[in-house]
Amino acid sequence: MGSVTKNRPENSKLKTQNSKLLIQACLKQPTLRTPVWFMRQAGRYMQEYRKIRSRWSIKEISKNPELCAEVTLQPVAKLEVDAAIIFSDILLLAEPLGFRFDYAKAVGPVFQNPILGQDDVDRLPFFDVREKMDFMFRALKLVKKKLPDGIALVGFAGAPFTLASYLIEGGHSDHYLKTKELMHQNPKAWQNLMEKLTRLTADYLAAQAASGADVVQIFDSWAGCLSAHDYEEFVLSHNQTIVNELKKRRVPVIYFSTGTTGYPEIIKKTGADVISVDWRTSLAESWRRLGYDAAIQGNLDPALLRNGPVKAIVRQTQKILQEANKRPGHIFNLGHGILPDTPVEHARAVVAAVKQWK
Ligand code: CP3
């Protein structure tokens, strides 16, 4: 109980802070309760989303601010989460880079012209993200107007490594052989590619913040395929550059990856305000190894959320909250995105359990 009174402030003490729980947690400020949202909270598991998807593609929804705002706000109303994440996709930044791709049913993204070598890297154009991604900034402004008080708006982008892995592999990959081949056998081309993606991504996220995103999340979904050594040598500095650019603009940053809980000390060096961890390591252990000066996001297993039963989901939700021990700086989330076919009631049960946690 000691930690409860110590870490949970009186209402009056919060007056001078940002009114959004999620932002308070990003900044490791004490919160009245733990904020909760879900990665991929807009998606096929939700009937309202499927209805819109039956008429429009992911690209069409993302590029139409009205549709984008509608889909972004669906889970906020339905799940009563503490954040909206702007509906988009990490791969949309690849289009102005000259890549042609589509989302194939049951396969995922398929690129027609992936990077084959140095020449393709050299040919990548620089462009003005403010102009080419204008649809997203317009959607952010629209969502911001419609968002209920106290709900944070999350912007996002892929991390340079994860985006590069799609550009090189041309889609999903089991072993990331082509990506690692470029990295190991042509470090100059790799460096060049990462620098280009890093500059674009930093600009993109800064522009999202300027358009109303309260916080941005960098999705490095596939970083866990790398050894600790390769992450540190070939990837880390680029993530640091992005985080530093956003810090200059005082935008909180969440860095998300999976499969990296074996080297939390290196992940922490990204400098992100919040480190999002997967479920493979307990939240208690991950936070202890990261150090309590970092805020943490996670870490319910999306498979448990999908499968249930609700009793087991609630038990694990409470276990995670117990491990967080009401320390300032915990954001409740999954360890990765919501899986298709997850019952909406399961997600709602988690939100209720987090909100009821005393
Ligand atoms: O979280 C949200 O609600 C916002 C929406 C969002 C999408 N993509 C829309 C989308 C976000 C945050 C992303 C990020 C994204 N996209 C990542 C990083 C997060 C992660 O899950 O690791 C990655 C790796 C991608 C690339 C991508 N886009 C893949 C691999 C796929 C196909 C796999 C799948 O789930 O079908 C997509 C398609 C995609 N992007 C969907 C959605 C909702 C699929 C649903 C549909 O077909 O409508």
Side-chain angles (χ1 to χ4, degrees), residues 6-20:
K6 192 176 74 207
N7 292 331
R8 294 281 135 127
E10 295 296 316
N11 224 338
S12 60
K13 289 202 184 136
L14 292 173
K15 288 234 171 81
T16 52
Q17 299 182 351
N18 189 306
S19 66
K20 293 166 183 160

Side-chain angles (χ1 to χ4, degrees), residues 180-194:
K180 291 182 181 182
E181 189 178 311
L182 188 77
M183 183 192 272
H184 291 136
Q185 295 183 8
N186 196 342
K188 243 180 98 186
W190 177 259
Q191 178 74 9
N192 192 350
L193 173 60
M194 293 300 270

